[in-house]
Amino acid sequence: LLYRILQNFLANAIRYTETGGVLLGARLRGDHLRISVWDTGVGIDGSEVKAIFQEFHRLDYARRLDEKGLGLGLAICDRISRMLDHEIDVASKLGHGSCFTVIVPLAHQAEIQKSPVPEVALGDGSGFKDLVVLCVDNEPDILEAMNLLLDRWGCRGVMLAENQAQAAQQVLMHGTPDFVLVDYHLSDQSNGLQVMQHLDEILGTRLPAIVITADRSSELDESVKAKNYGLLRKPIRPAALRALMSNMLKTEN
């Protein structure tokens, strides 16, 4: 997910820099690392700095170039950064260039040693190579990010749905998934637990699932536990997601 943020920063820097250059660098600042992309491109007017992170917002320069993009790149960066709890910083001067920075926390050696390590290394997709995962989230950019993450983990297939109806359509068209990642709060008046109940009724089986939410209520804890689902709270750490999926799959087997 961090890779996706930097990929978008670099793609934009290259796209909007006609002369000069683009630099990717990192600087230690206390217990954080600032990873920055500098460019000598067209720059951004101060009045537009906040707007560039909104969906479908495109700079005048992009419109003059007749760019075909939808203006989702920085919106995706913004959503991913908030999901990971990584701050994004922007400095720009119109006509001179821009600097986009993502600020990530450093892990202390003691924390690394204490953290659980999955039996399969994160860079090795063999543990998930036969896995088909259904992701349900009403935010298309989050679905795209999850698709990228699961693909990098080597999953055999990823099905994407924004609501209960699309989730049902996916399983009816493509078969039973091995695992479900479902956001609790959806925009079609349903929630993640209702989606899982609906899918179980359609398929006649119980699907293993992780419910993802920013809700910290004890009532939700109890409801999820009663269904034997996993629970992860936002911001999501990919390592924690993978570890929980691995443990639940072992239990299922």
Side-chain angles (χ1 to χ4, degrees), residues 1 4 8 55-56 70-73 75-80 82-83 135-149 158-163 166 183 185-187 234:
L1 295 175
R4 180 62 187 273
N8 279 339
E55 289 90 345
F56 308 112
L70 294 176
L72 289 173
I76 291 173
C77 290
D78 180 58
R79 296 300 177 90
I80 294 176
R82 286 192 280 116
M83 185 170 70
C135 299
V136 186
D137 195 298
N138 60 297
E139 299 286 353
D141 43 2
I142 295 298
L143 287 179
E144 186 176 353
M146 294 300 292
N147 187 26
L148 176 71
L149 181 65
V158 181
M159 297 187 287
L160 306 176
E162 295 182 21
N163 51 49
Q166 289 185 14
D183 191 45
H185 292 289
L186 301 170
S187 57
K234 300 175 182 178

Side-chain angles (χ1 to χ4, degrees), residues 69-113:
L70 294 176
L72 289 173
L74 290 177
I76 291 173
C77 290
D78 180 58
R79 296 300 177 90
I80 294 176
S81 70
R82 286 192 280 116
M83 185 170 70
L84 297 178
D85 200 22
H86 293 351
E87 181 184 350
I88 287 179
D89 183 45
V90 182
S92 186
K93 186 175 181 181
L94 193 63
H96 290 79
S98 303
C99 177
F100 283 78
T101 299
V102 57
I103 304 170
V104 301
L106 297 177
H108 298 292
Q109 189 62 35
E111 294 173 333
I112 296 173
Q113 292 172 347

Side-chain angles (χ1 to χ4, degrees), residues 3-13 72-74 76-77:
Y3 170 88
R4 180 62 187 273
I5 292 175
L6 295 174
Q7 184 182 50
N8 279 339
F9 284 177
L10 284 166
N12 283 340
L72 289 173
L74 290 177
I76 291 173
C77 290

Side-chain angles (χ1 to χ4, degrees), residues 58-73:
R58 301 172 70 216
L59 296 171
D60 289 338
Y61 185 79
R63 288 191 285 267
R64 290 199 300 270
L65 289 179
D66 195 25
E67 289 278 357
K68 302 303 182 183
L70 294 176
L72 289 173

